[in-house]
Coordinates of all heavy atoms in Angstrom, one line a residue:
M1 N -112.3 66.0 -25.4 CA -111.5 66.5 -26.5 C -112.0 67.9 -26.9 O -113.1 68.2 -27.0 CB -111.6 65.5 -27.7 CG -110.4 65.6 -28.6 SD -110.6 64.4 -29.9 CE -111.6 65.4 -31.1
E2 N -111.0 68.7 -27.3 CA -111.3 70.0 -27.7 C -111.9 70.0 -29.1 O -111.3 69.3 -30.0 CB -110.1 70.9 -27.6 CG -110.3 72.2 -27.0 CD -109.1 73.1 -27.1 OE1 -108.2 72.9 -28.0 OE2 -109.0 74.1 -26.3
H3 N -112.9 70.8 -29.4 CA -113.4 70.9 -30.7 C -112.8 72.1 -31.4 O -113.2 73.3 -31.0 CB -114.9 71.0 -30.7 CG -115.6 69.7 -30.4 ND1 -115.9 69.3 -29.1 CD2 -115.9 68.6 -31.1 CE1 -116.4 68.1 -29.1 NE2 -116.4 67.7 -30.3
V4 N -111.9 72.0 -32.3 CA -111.3 73.1 -32.9 C -111.6 72.9 -34.4 O -111.3 71.9 -35.0 CB -109.8 73.1 -32.7 CG1 -109.2 74.3 -33.4 CG2 -109.5 73.2 -31.2
K5 N -112.1 74.0 -35.0 CA -112.4 73.9 -36.4 C -111.7 75.0 -37.2 O -111.5 76.1 -36.6 CB -113.9 74.1 -36.7 CG -114.7 72.9 -36.1 CD -115.7 72.4 -37.2 CE -116.2 71.1 -36.8 NZ -117.5 71.2 -36.1
E6 N -111.2 74.7 -38.4 CA -110.5 75.7 -39.2 C -111.2 76.0 -40.5 O -111.8 75.1 -41.1 CB -109.1 75.3 -39.4 CG -108.3 75.1 -38.2 CD -106.8 75.0 -38.4 OE1 -106.4 74.9 -39.6 OE2 -106.0 75.0 -37.4
Y7 N -111.2 77.3 -40.8 CA -111.9 77.7 -42.1 C -111.0 78.7 -42.8 O -110.5 79.6 -42.2 CB -113.2 78.4 -41.8 CG -114.1 77.7 -40.8 CD1 -114.0 77.8 -39.4 CD2 -115.2 76.9 -41.3 CE1 -114.8 77.1 -38.6 CE2 -116.0 76.2 -40.4 CZ -115.8 76.3 -39.1 OH -116.7 75.7 -38.2
T8 N -110.7 78.4 -44.1 CA -109.7 79.3 -44.7 C -110.3 79.9 -46.0 O -111.2 79.3 -46.7 CB -108.4 78.6 -45.0 OG1 -107.5 79.5 -45.6 CG2 -108.7 77.4 -46.0
N9 N -109.9 81.1 -46.3 CA -110.2 81.7 -47.6 C -109.0 81.6 -48.6 O -109.0 82.2 -49.6 CB -110.6 83.2 -47.5 CG -109.5 84.1 -47.0 OD1 -108.4 83.6 -46.8 ND2 -109.8 85.4 -46.9
G10 N -108.0 80.8 -48.2 CA -106.8 80.6 -49.0 C -105.7 81.5 -48.6 O -104.5 81.2 -48.9
E11 N -106.0 82.6 -47.9 CA -105.0 83.5 -47.5 C -104.8 83.5 -45.9 O -103.7 83.5 -45.4 CB -105.4 84.9 -47.9 CG -104.3 85.9 -48.0 CD -104.7 87.2 -48.7 OE1 -105.7 87.8 -48.2 OE2 -104.1 87.6 -49.7
V12 N -105.9 83.5 -45.3 CA -105.9 83.5 -43.8 C -106.8 82.3 -43.4 O -107.7 81.9 -44.1 CB -106.4 84.8 -43.2 CG1 -107.9 85.0 -43.5 CG2 -106.2 85.0 -41.7
T13 N -106.5 81.7 -42.2 CA -107.3 80.6 -41.7 C -107.9 81.1 -40.4 O -107.2 81.5 -39.5 CB -106.4 79.4 -41.5 OG1 -106.0 78.9 -42.8 CG2 -107.2 78.2 -40.9
I14 N -109.2 80.9 -40.3 CA -109.9 81.2 -39.0 C -109.9 79.9 -38.2 O -110.3 78.9 -38.7 CB -111.4 81.6 -39.3 CG1 -111.4 82.8 -40.3 CG2 -112.1 81.9 -38.0 CD1 -112.8 83.1 -40.8
V15 N -109.5 80.1 -36.9 CA -109.6 78.9 -36.0 C -110.7 79.2 -35.0 O -110.7 80.3 -34.4 CB -108.2 78.8 -35.3 CG1 -108.2 77.5 -34.4 CG2 -107.1 78.7 -36.3
W16 N -111.6 78.3 -34.8 CA -112.7 78.5 -33.9 C -112.7 77.3 -32.9 O -112.7 76.1 -33.2 CB -114.0 78.5 -34.6 CG -115.2 78.7 -33.7 CD1 -115.5 79.8 -33.0 CD2 -116.3 77.8 -33.5 NE1 -116.7 79.6 -32.3 CE2 -117.2 78.4 -32.6 CE3 -116.6 76.5 -34.0 CZ2 -118.3 77.8 -32.2 CZ3 -117.8 75.9 -33.5 CH2 -118.6 76.5 -32.6
K17 N -112.6 77.7 -31.6 CA -112.6 76.7 -30.5 C -114.0 76.7 -29.9 O -114.4 77.7 -29.2 CB -111.6 77.1 -29.5 CG -110.2 76.9 -30.0 CD -109.1 77.2 -29.0 CE -107.8 77.0 -29.6 NZ -106.7 77.7 -29.0
Q18 N -114.7 75.7 -30.2 CA -116.1 75.6 -29.7 C -116.3 75.8 -28.2 O -117.2 76.5 -27.8 CB -116.7 74.3 -30.2 CG -118.2 74.2 -30.0 CD -118.7 72.8 -30.5 OE1 -118.0 72.1 -31.1 NE2 -120.0 72.5 -30.2
E19 N -115.4 75.2 -27.5 CA -115.6 75.2 -26.0 C -115.5 76.6 -25.4 O -116.0 76.9 -24.4 CB -114.5 74.3 -25.3 CG -114.9 72.9 -25.2 CD -114.6 72.1 -26.4 OE1 -114.1 72.7 -27.4 OE2 -114.9 70.9 -26.4
L20 N -114.7 77.5 -26.1 CA -114.5 78.8 -25.6 C -115.6 79.8 -26.1 O -115.7 80.9 -25.5 CB -113.2 79.4 -26.1 CG -111.9 78.6 -25.6 CD1 -110.7 79.3 -26.1 CD2 -111.9 78.7 -24.1
C21 N -116.4 79.4 -27.1 CA -117.4 80.4 -27.6 C -118.5 80.6 -26.6 O -119.1 79.6 -26.1 CB -117.9 79.8 -28.9 SG -119.2 80.9 -29.6
V22 N -118.8 81.9 -26.3 CA -119.8 82.2 -25.3 C -121.1 82.7 -26.1 O -122.0 83.2 -25.5 CB -119.4 83.3 -24.3 CG1 -118.3 82.7 -23.4 CG2 -118.9 84.5 -25.0
H23 N -121.1 82.5 -27.4 CA -122.2 82.9 -28.2 C -122.7 84.3 -28.0 O -123.9 84.5 -27.9 CB -123.3 81.8 -28.0 CG -122.9 80.4 -28.3 ND1 -122.7 79.9 -29.5 CD2 -122.5 79.4 -27.4 CE1 -122.2 78.7 -29.4 NE2 -122.1 78.4 -28.2
S24 N -121.8 85.2 -27.9 CA -122.1 86.6 -27.7 C -122.7 87.2 -29.0 O -123.4 88.2 -28.9 CB -120.8 87.4 -27.3 OG -119.9 87.3 -28.4
G25 N -122.4 86.6 -30.1 CA -123.0 87.1 -31.4 C -122.3 88.3 -31.9 O -122.7 88.9 -32.9
I26 N -121.2 88.6 -31.3 CA -120.4 89.8 -31.8 C -119.9 89.6 -33.3 O -120.0 90.4 -34.1 CB -119.3 90.1 -30.9 CG1 -119.8 90.7 -29.6 CG2 -118.3 91.1 -31.5 CD1 -118.8 91.0 -28.5
C27 N -119.4 88.4 -33.5 CA -119.0 88.1 -34.9 C -120.1 88.1 -35.8 O -120.0 88.5 -37.0 CB -118.2 86.7 -34.9 SG -119.2 85.3 -34.2
V28 N -121.2 87.5 -35.4 CA -122.4 87.4 -36.3 C -122.9 88.8 -36.7 O -123.3 89.1 -37.8 CB -123.5 86.6 -35.6 CG1 -124.7 86.5 -36.5 CG2 -123.0 85.2 -35.2
R29 N -123.0 89.7 -35.7 CA -123.4 91.1 -36.0 C -122.4 91.9 -36.8 O -122.8 92.7 -37.7 CB -123.7 91.8 -34.7 CG -125.0 91.4 -34.1 CD -125.4 92.4 -33.0 NE -124.5 92.4 -31.8 CZ -124.6 91.5 -30.8 NH1 -125.6 90.6 -30.9 NH2 -123.8 91.5 -29.9
G30 N -121.1 91.6 -36.6 CA -120.1 92.3 -37.3 C -120.0 91.9 -38.8 O -119.9 92.8 -39.6
L31 N -120.0 90.6 -39.0 CA -119.9 90.1 -40.4 C -120.9 89.0 -40.6 O -120.6 87.8 -40.7 CB -118.5 89.6 -40.6 CG -117.3 90.5 -40.7 CD1 -116.0 89.8 -40.9 CD2 -117.5 91.5 -41.9
P32 N -122.2 89.5 -40.8 CA -123.2 88.5 -41.0 C -123.1 87.6 -42.2 O -123.7 86.5 -42.2 CB -124.5 89.3 -41.0 CG -124.1 90.7 -41.3 CD -122.7 90.8 -40.8
N33 N -122.4 88.0 -43.2 CA -122.2 87.2 -44.4 C -121.2 86.0 -44.1 O -121.2 85.0 -44.8 CB -121.6 88.0 -45.6 CG -122.7 88.9 -46.1 OD1 -123.9 88.6 -46.0 ND2 -122.3 90.0 -46.7
V34 N -120.4 86.2 -43.1 CA -119.3 85.2 -42.8 C -119.8 84.3 -41.7 O -119.7 83.1 -41.8 CB -118.0 85.9 -42.4 CG1 -117.0 84.9 -41.9 CG2 -117.5 86.8 -43.5
F35 N -120.3 84.8 -40.6 CA -120.7 84.0 -39.4 C -122.2 83.8 -39.4 O -123.0 84.7 -39.2 CB -120.2 84.8 -38.2 CG -118.7 85.0 -38.1 CD1 -118.2 86.2 -38.5 CD2 -117.9 84.0 -37.7 CE1 -116.8 86.4 -38.4 CE2 -116.5 84.2 -37.7 CZ -116.0 85.4 -38.0
K36 N -122.5 82.6 -39.8 CA -123.9 82.2 -39.9 C -124.2 81.0 -39.0 O -124.1 79.8 -39.4 CB -124.2 81.8 -41.4 CG -124.0 83.0 -42.3 CD -124.5 82.7 -43.7 CE -124.4 83.9 -44.5 NZ -124.8 83.7 -45.9
P37 N -124.5 81.3 -37.7 CA -124.6 80.2 -36.8 C -125.7 79.1 -37.1 O -125.6 78.0 -36.5 CB -125.0 80.9 -35.4 CG -125.3 82.3 -35.8 CD -124.8 82.6 -37.2
K38 N -126.6 79.4 -38.0 CA -127.7 78.4 -38.3 C -127.2 77.5 -39.4 O -128.0 76.6 -39.7 CB -129.0 79.2 -38.7 CG -129.6 79.9 -37.5 CD -131.1 80.2 -37.7 CE -131.7 80.7 -36.5 NZ -131.7 82.2 -36.4
E39 N -126.1 77.8 -40.0 CA -125.7 76.9 -41.1 C -124.5 76.0 -40.7 O -123.8 76.3 -39.7 CB -125.3 77.8 -42.3 CG -126.4 78.6 -42.8 CD -126.1 79.4 -44.1 OE1 -125.0 79.2 -44.7 OE2 -126.9 80.3 -44.4
K40 N -124.3 75.0 -41.5 CA -123.1 74.1 -41.3 C -122.4 74.0 -42.6 O -123.0 73.5 -43.6 CB -123.6 72.8 -40.8 CG -123.7 72.7 -39.3 CD -123.9 71.3 -38.8 CE -123.7 71.3 -37.3 NZ -123.5 70.0 -36.7
P41 N -121.2 74.3 -42.7 CA -120.4 75.0 -41.7 C -120.9 76.4 -41.5 O -121.4 77.0 -42.3 CB -118.9 75.0 -42.3 CG -119.2 74.9 -43.8 CD -120.4 74.1 -44.0
W42 N -120.6 76.9 -40.3 CA -121.2 78.1 -39.9 C -120.4 79.3 -40.2 O -120.8 80.5 -40.2 CB -121.6 78.2 -38.4 CG -120.5 78.4 -37.4 CD1 -119.5 77.5 -37.1 CD2 -120.2 79.6 -36.7 NE1 -118.7 78.1 -36.2 CE2 -119.1 79.4 -35.9 CE3 -120.9 80.9 -36.6 CZ2 -118.6 80.4 -35.1 CZ3 -120.4 81.8 -35.8 CH2 -119.2 81.6 -35.0
I43 N -119.1 79.1 -40.6 CA -118.2 80.2 -41.0 C -117.9 80.1 -42.5 O -117.5 79.1 -43.0 CB -116.9 80.2 -40.2 CG1 -117.2 80.4 -38.7 CG2 -116.0 81.3 -40.6 CD1 -116.0 80.4 -37.8
H44 N -118.2 81.2 -43.2 CA -118.0 81.3 -44.6 C -116.9 82.3 -44.9 O -117.2 83.5 -45.2 CB -119.3 81.7 -45.3 CG -120.4 80.8 -45.0 ND1 -120.9 79.9 -45.9 CD2 -121.2 80.6 -43.9 CE1 -121.9 79.2 -45.4 NE2 -122.1 79.6 -44.1
P45 N -115.6 81.9 -44.9 CA -114.6 82.9 -45.0 C -114.4 83.5 -46.4 O -113.8 84.6 -46.5 CB -113.3 82.1 -44.6 CG -113.7 80.7 -44.9 CD -115.1 80.6 -44.7
H46 N -115.0 82.9 -47.4 CA -114.8 83.5 -48.8 C -115.7 84.7 -49.0 O -115.6 85.4 -50.0 CB -115.2 82.4 -49.8 CG -114.2 81.3 -49.8 ND1 -113.0 81.4 -50.5 CD2 -114.2 80.1 -49.3 CE1 -112.3 80.3 -50.3 NE2 -113.0 79.5 -49.6
T47 N -116.6 85.0 -48.1 CA -117.5 86.1 -48.4 C -117.0 87.4 -47.8 O -117.8 88.4 -47.8 CB -118.9 85.8 -47.7 OG1 -118.8 85.6 -46.4 CG2 -119.6 84.6 -48.4
S48 N -115.8 87.5 -47.4 CA -115.2 88.7 -46.8 C -113.8 88.8 -47.2 O -113.2 87.9 -47.7 CB -115.4 88.7 -45.3 OG -115.2 90.0 -44.8
T49 N -113.2 90.0 -47.0 CA -111.8 90.2 -47.2 C -111.0 89.7 -46.0 O -111.5 89.6 -44.9 CB -111.4 91.6 -47.5 OG1 -111.6 92.4 -46.3 CG2 -112.2 92.2 -48.6
T50 N -109.7 89.4 -46.3 CA -108.8 88.9 -45.2 C -108.8 90.0 -44.1 O -108.9 89.7 -42.9 CB -107.4 88.6 -45.7 OG1 -107.6 87.5 -46.6 CG2 -106.4 88.3 -44.6
D51 N -108.6 91.3 -44.4 CA -108.6 92.3 -43.4 C -109.8 92.4 -42.6 O -109.7 92.5 -41.3 CB -108.3 93.7 -44.1 CG -106.9 93.9 -44.5 OD1 -106.1 93.0 -44.1 OD2 -106.6 94.8 -45.2
E52 N -110.9 92.3 -43.2 CA -112.2 92.3 -42.4 C -112.3 91.1 -41.5 O -112.8 91.2 -40.4 CB -113.4 92.3 -43.4 CG -113.7 93.7 -44.0 CD -114.8 93.6 -45.0 OE1 -115.1 92.6 -45.6 OE2 -115.5 94.7 -45.1
L53 N -111.9 90.0 -42.0 CA -111.9 88.8 -41.1 C -111.0 88.9 -39.9 O -111.5 88.7 -38.8 CB -111.5 87.5 -41.9 CG -112.4 87.1 -43.1 CD1 -111.7 86.0 -43.9 CD2 -113.7 86.6 -42.5
V54 N -109.8 89.4 -40.1 CA -108.9 89.6 -39.0 C -109.4 90.6 -38.0 O -109.3 90.3 -36.8 CB -107.5 90.0 -39.6 CG1 -106.6 90.4 -38.5 CG2 -106.9 88.8 -40.3
N55 N -109.9 91.7 -38.5 CA -110.4 92.7 -37.6 C -111.6 92.2 -36.7 O -111.7 92.4 -35.5 CB -110.9 93.9 -38.4 CG -109.8 94.8 -38.8 OD1 -108.7 94.8 -38.2 ND2 -110.0 95.6 -39.9
Q56 N -112.4 91.4 -37.4 CA -113.6 90.8 -36.6 C -113.1 89.8 -35.6 O -113.6 89.7 -34.5 CB -114.6 90.2 -37.6 CG -115.9 89.9 -37.0 CD -116.6 91.1 -36.3 OE1 -116.8 92.1 -37.0 NE2 -116.9 90.9 -35.1
I57 N -112.2 89.0 -36.0 CA -111.7 87.9 -35.1 C -111.1 88.5 -33.8 O -111.3 88.0 -32.7 CB -110.6 87.1 -35.9 CG1 -111.3 86.2 -36.9 CG2 -109.8 86.2 -34.9 CD1 -110.4 85.6 -37.9
K58 N -110.4 89.7 -34.0 CA -109.8 90.3 -32.8 C -110.8 90.8 -31.9 O -110.5 91.1 -30.7 CB -108.9 91.5 -33.3 CG -107.6 91.0 -34.0 CD -106.8 92.2 -34.4 CE -105.5 91.7 -35.1 NZ -104.9 92.8 -35.8
K59 N -112.1 91.0 -32.3 CA -113.1 91.5 -31.4 C -113.8 90.4 -30.6 O -114.7 90.6 -29.8 CB -114.2 92.2 -32.2 CG -113.7 93.5 -32.7 CD -114.7 94.3 -33.6 CE -114.1 95.4 -34.3 NZ -114.8 95.7 -35.5
C60 N -113.5 89.1 -30.9 CA -114.2 88.0 -30.2 C -113.8 88.1 -28.7 O -112.6 88.1 -28.4 CB -113.7 86.7 -30.8 SG -114.3 85.3 -29.9
P61 N -114.7 88.2 -27.8 CA -114.4 88.5 -26.4 C -113.9 87.3 -25.6 O -113.3 87.4 -24.6 CB -115.8 88.9 -25.8 CG -116.8 88.2 -26.7 CD -116.2 88.2 -28.0
S62 N -114.1 86.1 -26.1 CA -113.8 84.9 -25.4 C -112.5 84.2 -25.8 O -112.0 83.3 -25.1 CB -114.9 83.8 -25.5 OG -114.9 83.4 -26.9
G63 N -111.9 84.6 -26.9 CA -110.8 84.0 -27.5 C -111.1 82.7 -28.3 O -110.2 82.0 -28.7
A64 N -112.4 82.5 -28.5 CA -112.8 81.4 -29.3 C -112.3 81.5 -30.7 O -112.0 80.5 -31.4 CB -114.3 81.2 -29.3
L65 N -112.3 82.7 -31.2 CA -111.8 82.9 -32.6 C -110.3 83.4 -32.6 O -110.0 84.2 -31.8 CB -112.6 84.0 -33.3 CG -114.1 83.6 -33.7 CD1 -114.8 84.9 -34.2 CD2 -114.1 82.5 -34.7
S66 N -109.5 82.7 -33.4 CA -108.2 83.2 -33.7 C -107.9 82.9 -35.1 O -108.7 82.4 -35.9 CB -107.2 82.5 -32.7 OG -107.2 81.1 -32.9
F67 N -106.7 83.3 -35.6 CA -106.4 83.1 -37.0 C -104.9 83.0 -37.2 O -104.1 83.3 -36.3 CB -106.9 84.4 -37.8 CG -106.1 85.6 -37.5 CD1 -105.0 86.0 -38.3 CD2 -106.5 86.4 -36.4 CE1 -104.3 87.1 -38.0 CE2 -105.7 87.6 -36.1 CZ -104.7 87.9 -36.9
Y68 N -104.5 82.5 -38.3 CA -103.1 82.6 -38.8 C -103.1 82.8 -40.3 O -104.1 82.4 -41.0 CB -102.3 81.4 -38.4 CG -102.8 80.0 -38.9 CD1 -102.5 79.6 -40.2 CD2 -103.6 79.2 -38.1 CE1 -102.9 78.4 -40.7 CE2 -104.1 78.0 -38.6 CZ -103.7 77.6 -39.9 OH -104.2 76.4 -40.4
Y69 N -102.0 83.4 -40.7 CA -101.9 83.6 -42.2 C -101.3 82.4 -42.8 O -100.3 81.8 -42.3 CB -101.0 84.8 -42.5 CG -101.7 86.1 -42.1 CD1 -101.2 86.8 -41.0 CD2 -102.7 86.7 -42.9 CE1 -101.9 88.0 -40.6 CE2 -103.3 87.8 -42.5 CZ -102.9 88.5 -41.4 OH -103.5 89.7 -41.1
N70 N -101.9 81.9 -43.9 CA -101.5 80.6 -44.4 C -100.0 80.7 -44.9 O -99.3 79.7 -44.8 CB -102.4 80.3 -45.7 CG -103.8 80.0 -45.3 OD1 -104.2 80.2 -44.1 ND2 -104.6 79.5 -46.2
K71 N -99.6 81.8 -45.3 CA -98.2 81.9 -45.8 C -97.2 81.7 -44.6 O -96.1 81.1 -44.7 CB -97.9 83.2 -46.5 CG -98.0 84.5 -45.6 CD -97.6 85.6 -46.4 CE -97.9 87.0 -45.8 NZ -97.6 87.3 -44.5
D72 N -97.6 82.1 -43.4 CA -96.7 81.9 -42.2 C -96.7 80.4 -41.9 O -95.6 79.9 -41.4 CB -97.3 82.7 -41.0 CG -97.2 84.2 -41.2 OD1 -96.5 84.6 -42.1 OD2 -98.0 84.9 -40.5
K73 N -97.8 79.7 -42.0 CA -97.8 78.3 -41.7 C -96.9 77.5 -42.6 O -96.1 76.6 -42.2 CB -99.3 77.8 -41.9 CG -99.5 76.4 -41.4 CD -99.8 76.4 -39.9 CE -100.3 75.0 -39.5 NZ -100.7 75.0 -38.1
K74 N -96.8 77.9 -43.9 CA -96.0 77.2 -44.8 C -94.5 77.4 -44.6 O -93.7 76.5 -44.9 CB -96.3 77.7 -46.3 CG -97.6 77.1 -46.8 CD -97.8 77.5 -48.3 CE -99.2 77.3 -48.7 NZ -99.7 78.5 -49.4
D75 N -94.2 78.5 -44.0 CA -92.8 78.8 -43.7 C -92.2 78.0 -42.5 O -91.0 78.0 -42.3 CB -92.6 80.3 -43.4 CG -92.8 81.1 -44.7 OD1 -92.8 80.5 -45.7 OD2 -93.0 82.3 -44.5
E76 N -93.1 77.4 -41.7 CA -92.6 76.8 -40.5 C -91.7 75.6 -40.8 O -91.9 74.9 -41.8 CB -93.8 76.3 -39.7 CG -94.3 77.3 -38.8 CD -95.6 76.9 -38.1 OE1 -95.9 75.7 -38.1 OE2 -96.3 77.8 -37.5
Ligands
SF4_1 S1 -117.6 86.6 -31.1 FE1 -116.5 84.8 -30.4 S2 -117.6 84.2 -28.5 FE2 -118.9 85.6 -29.7 S3 -120.2 84.1 -30.9 FE3 -118.4 84.8 -32.2 S4 -116.9 83.2 -31.8 FE4 -118.4 83.0 -30.2

């Protein structure tokens, strides 16, 4: 089974697929206040802005991180 976890700041939701993560640490170096691999949960979306989160998610090399805007989800 795929391990998919979601973390939201109320505006945007971060989706993390554990199987795809190659632990490159790019997210951790980019936004150390948000991505804390030693903690559980390891993603703290409230400590950054939505724009910063989205920009960082786009840099994930493996596709483990993705996102959607909560308002888009509600419109479905
Ligand atoms: S940037 Fe992506 S692949 Fe790298 S540690 Fe973060 S989630 Fe995993």
